Amino acid sequence: MIYSPTTLAPSEPARQHGLLTRLHLDLPLLSGLLLLCGYGLVVLYSASGQDFGKVERQAIRLALAFVGMFMAAQIPPIHMRRWSPWLYLAGVLMLIAVLLFGDIGKGAQRWLNLGLFRFQPSEMLKLALPMMVAWYLAEQPLPPTWQRLAIAGALVLVPTLLIAKQPDLGTAVLVAAAGIFVLFLSGIGWKIIAAVGGLLMALAPAAWYLMHDYQRQRVLTFLNPERDPLGAGYHIIQSKIAIGSGGLFGKGWLNGTQSHLEFLPERSTDFIFAVLSEEFGLVGILVLMALYLFIVYRGLYIATRGQDTYSRLLAGSLTLVFFVYVIVNTGMVTGLLPVVGVPLPLISYGGTSLVTILAGFGILMSIHTHRKLLPT
Amino acid sequence: MSVNPQIHIKNYLRESQIFLGRAVFAGVVVGLFALILIVHLGRLQILEHDHFTTLSRDNRVKLEPLPPTRGLIYDANGVLLAQNLPAYSLEIVPEKAGDVKRTIDELTRVIPISNDDRARFARLRRQRRRFDGIPIRVKLSDEELARFAVNRHRFPGVDIHATLLRQYPLAELTAHVLGYVGRINDREIKTIDMSEYSGTSHIGKNGIEKAYEKLLHGHVGLQQVEVNAKGRTLRVLESTPPVRGRDLHLFLDTDLQKTALDAFGDYSGALVAINPKTGGVLALVSKPGFDPNLFVEGISSATYKALRDSEEKPLFNRVLRGQYPPGSTVKPFFALAGLETGAVTPSKKILCRGFYLLPGHDHKYRDWKKWGHGKMDVRSAITQSCDVYFYDLAHTLGVDRMHDFLTPFSFGHHTGIDLTGELRGLLPSSAWKRRVYKQPWYPGETLIMGIGQGYFLATPLQLAAATAALANRGIYVRPRVVKAVGSAQSGRPPHPTVLSSSRIPASNPANWETVISAMVKVIEGKHGTARSIRTDAYHIAGKTGTAQVFSIKQDEEYDEEKIARKMRDHALFIAFAPVEDPQIAVAVVVEHGGHGGSVAAPIARRVMDKYLLKQ
């Protein structure tokens, strides 16, 4: 597939395709996202203790996030590429500002008060970081040289450390993953991947000393849930009972005794997957996973059809990060991974990550619908 | 790598192929992860389904938090200042009650429920889950309790709940020291460890209750209870008892506290008495006070508004947060600065003609005594509070030397007291003015600072802590309220809090005695400004002060209209006694009291009499 902008007029694809393409939307991706969000609202109604107000608030947030996605889809990738370094720079500066003057909520400094509204710069980095790394690597032929690889690594490391310092481990993991995926997709050698992986494993014990107290608690709780039976350990035990007792078909909507009678404080946010598993069973989970996999594979397909290296790297990274959300959250709820504050994407109650995730899909749609040369 | 690194031409086809390879690999890994997850879930939901179903069906075992009992607070003589009394409240579980509004309406016919009760219920309901109990009425009387018990069958989902409520027997007398506890609010939820507070509804909001929250609260216990299908507890299986909060023993002497409060008469103001040796706060009065018991079970909005908007500011802790111009009370400290730096000698005399002129200026900086004090040395200047002497001294010292010398006395920064919410006051310097006002420091401002006016602000606590350092001849002791932390349960003796002190850099002990002897003359000399409180029982060293009220303009607590009504100056007095072996250091601010010598000094005298002579 060789890029030759002169062969077709820019308006060509719009004429060939329907209304959705003219609006720069991708029908398969859009349908997958809408179905997933609808499913989420149904589960939320039960998880919130049949609080319709909560469902309504979440629906409004979703609507706003979809508007954000639509707007992102209108920006041609060539513009995004041009803005990438500036967005990244602004994001990093704001992270520094957060550390210096940020508001403190829940014991961590994450918010920047801009007078009218509060803003979480680490969310912005979830998009700006892969954009920056993709921009940087796409400048030169791939696979990248050692030198460029080192610089790209630093580009990933700086914001990751700034976010981890807030401390916000969940977001730091996601931001780092976004950058690492770009590096991986750019074709760095397997030997390097193996070497870096080995090094990280060797350094894991050192991380213990850098962790905050509450983060150490979480690791200990993960290793032995019984040691904190009233706190996070209790969540894991109860959430496993909820999931296991759901069985193949579940106890039915609104009938999850475990999640209604018991002590599961985060059940409409981080632990909503346990409610879903109890009430809809393995079948419900398979439906959910099918939706997630459909979205991820569609995203990867869009990435491979991307027209330049920048678009491909960015689209691929955003898609894989979305899947990291899924794995980290479900892994935590089922006791496979330690407790890290990552929501179940597009299902958990709350709006902060919603906007970023859907804006990411807006970028994917833009990449797919702004192509100048469409293979048939 | 097969590509020659010399070639810097992008090979689009190759890059696209690399990417395709990697994307396919990623896709396979994604599928693999999804598979692992599904297999794991399949194991939980199919293979171990029976096991978990049993757990879930027999999950009659529920973990319940056991809230710890809050630690008690005692004064220095063992008088109980904060206790926990049993109280009964009526709680509704919305999930079980069905139509909550109708239930409340019906309940109103059995026991009275006010609009405030309803408002609190609505507020708490938003924070809690449908199956949590939410209080609709608190502090039920025995009669109300009986009346509900008879009608109980009519109200499913409504239950009597027994709790311990915090109570402050001395109410207003200790309000500004102890603070109070109140219901945990949304903002606090975000800052506390939720599992530690899972059975607790109240948290320290102010004063000692807030500063020592961690110790007073204790540790949550937990019990495994068997519940029936509706979640009602059948029996307790196993329990880890909670660890009771630690008791606190204060330096505070409530008799002294009462004497001080009474001594103010109708005036508002603040008084702090400190033991200079330990830093222990013997009395801490901010008048008027308020009844902290009102806040424990949620104050009604009308009462709260009345307290908040009252012109006398009863909720305002003047000792920690009242920032007043210290006036002439700072003269002994500046005199010491002058002696230490050699800016003046004990014998140097200055002629006071009632005003002072800066070299090259014709603005007259006036003395409070229009016709002047005549020839003044450093002792008589303190005794008679001569302004002109201190204008001259300030001019010689300069603002920054004054700032640096007063800093270790706690002026301009926190005294370090073990209470939250303390303000810093303001000890100006040229660097401070450049930073805040973007202006240079003017020589005239140095003069005004020399008599404790202008930008200079201090809290009554800072004045007391500085006076204690003076009494110690140069050892600054951090003030503290809590003497010892103990637990009634363990039987171990209370664990004393740490004394922390630092030496104020001043080399010559004679200089301290010069200043202190002048302060004794303030009370015992013929021209002393506080000679009215002279006593033969013991020797007092003191200094009067007057703070002009219009300077308070910086303090937003007052508006123009009220200043017009209350034009009188604030009266200040600092003192310590006995001079030879100081036991008590006092700072008094009487708002709109006029002159320090006539109003503030007698209050300090009564407190010192009570403490030193036990009368």
Side-chain angles (χ1 to χ4, degrees), chain B residues 399-400 402-403 426-430 432 441 449 455-457:
Chain B
V399 54
D400 291 326
M402 290 160 78
H403 168 270
L426 177 57
L427 179 61
S429 67
S430 56
W432 164 82
W441 181 270
M449 181 177 166
Y455 300 113
F456 199 164
L457 295 174

Side-chain angles (χ1 to χ4, degrees), chain B residues 196-445:
Chain B
E196 195 59 77
Y197 279 83
S198 48
T200 310
S201 55
H202 286 64
I203 191 167
K205 301 273 183 183
N206 238 320
I208 292 177
E209 293 276 26
K210 185 178 184 190
Y212 284 87
E213 172 63 30
K214 230 178 165 167
L215 289 172
L216 286 167
H217 179 259
H219 291 291
V220 69
L222 113 100
Q223 66 181 2
Q224 292 187 340
V225 292
E226 199 178 309
V227 292
N228 65 16
K230 285 179 180 165
R232 192 175 287 278
T233 305
L234 298 177
R235 69 192 169 106
V236 179
L237 298 174
E238 211 186 294
S239 77
T240 317
V243 179
R244 197 176 170 284
R246 311 281 290 276
D247 294 341
L248 300 181
H249 300 266
L250 310 188
F251 284 102
L252 200 79
D253 177 338
T254 40
D255 286 341
L256 195 66
Q257 179 87 353
K258 184 147 182 11
T259 305
L261 191 70
D262 293 344
F264 271 89
D266 293 333
Y267 286 115
S268 304
L271 178 146
V272 205
I274 294 180
N275 180 339
K277 297 197 165 62
T278 60
V281 173
L282 307 169
L284 191 157
V285 171
S286 174
K287 196 167 174 276
F290 59 93
D291 182 1
N293 293 307
L294 291 172
F295 287 84
V296 175
E297 255 316 317
I299 188 166
S300 79
S301 54
T303 319
Y304 179 68
K305 250 181 122 173
L307 278 173
R308 190 193 58 196
D309 300 338
S310 162
E311 202 177 297
E312 299 191 296
K313 303 275 166 204
L315 298 178
F316 181 57
N317 190 329
R318 291 165 166 78
V319 171
L320 298 176
R321 303 180 66 84
Q323 305 186 97
Y324 304 90
S328 304
T329 57
V330 294
K331 285 176 182 169
F333 303 98
F334 286 136
L336 196 61
L339 292 168
E340 270 301 321
T341 54
V344 290
T345 58
S347 56
K348 182 189 174 184
K349 285 197 163 68
I350 281 175
L351 178 66
C352 168
R353 292 179 295 161
F355 62 87
Y356 180 83
L357 293 176
L358 272 174
H361 291 75
D362 54 7
H363 178 81
K364 283 184 176 174
Y365 293 89
R366 299 196 175 279
D367 195 281
W368 62 271
K369 204 169 183 181
K370 212 173 167 185
W371 49 89
H373 291 89
K375 278 200 164 181
M376 288 278 120
D377 64 8
V378 68
R379 286 193 187 84
S380 53
I382 292 174
T383 309
Q384 300 182 33
S385 203
C386 170
D387 289 341
V388 167
Y389 184 91
F390 283 94
Y391 289 145
D392 185 65
L393 173 58
H395 184 64
T396 318
L397 278 171
V399 54
D400 291 326
R401 276 207 285 179
M402 290 160 78
H403 168 270
D404 294 349
F405 192 82
L406 259 61
T407 300
F409 286 92
S410 88
F411 288 111
H413 56 93
H414 293 144
T415 62
I417 195 171
D418 50 347
L419 289 176
T420 53
E422 181 190 1
L423 291 185
R424 286 194 176 91
L426 177 57
L427 179 61
S429 67
S430 56
W432 164 82
K433 194 175 176 203
R434 221 176 304 119
R435 197 175 65 239
V436 175
Y437 287 93
K438 315 259 181 282
Q439 275 174 14
W441 181 270
Y442 299 113
E445 293 169 335

Side-chain angles (χ1 to χ4, degrees), chain A residues 232-249:
Chain A
Y234 183 66
H235 299 181
I236 300 293
I237 298 167
Q238 292 300 324
S239 119
K240 274 169 96 170
I241 295 178
I243 295 168
S245 66
L248 190 56
F249 298 105

Side-chain angles (χ1 to χ4, degrees), chain A residues 49 138 142 184 188 243 297 309, chain B residues 10 15 22 27 45 49 130:
Chain A
L142 293 181
F184 170 77
I188 55 172
I243 295 168
Y297 285 132
T309 308
Chain B
K10 271 176 108 59
E15 286 192 7
R22 289 295 162 100
Q45 296 196 298
H49 174 59
R130 288 173 52 82

Side-chain angles (χ1 to χ4, degrees), chain A residues 49 106 138 140-143 184 187-188 234 243-245 247 251 258 260-261 277 282 285 297 309 312 334, chain B residues 10 14-15 18-19 22 25 27 30-31 37 40-41 44-46 49 52 56 59 62-63 130-131 190 229:
Chain A
K106 283 198 181 178
Q140 293 281 322
L142 293 181
F184 170 77
I188 55 172
Y234 183 66
I243 295 168
S245 66
K251 295 176 184 170
Q258 194 65 17
H260 282 252
L261 282 176
S277 308
L282 190 58
I285 292 171
Y297 285 132
T309 308
R312 284 193 292 263
T334 55
Chain B
K10 271 176 108 59
R14 185 180 139 68
E15 286 192 7
I18 290 176
F19 184 84
R22 289 295 162 100
F25 180 85
V30 164
L37 187 73
H40 177 61
L41 284 161
L44 288 178
Q45 296 196 298
I46 295 173
H49 174 59
F52 282 118
S56 158
N59 201 349
K62 191 171 144 186
L63 281 174
R130 288 173 52 82
F131 49 91
K190 290 175 183 162

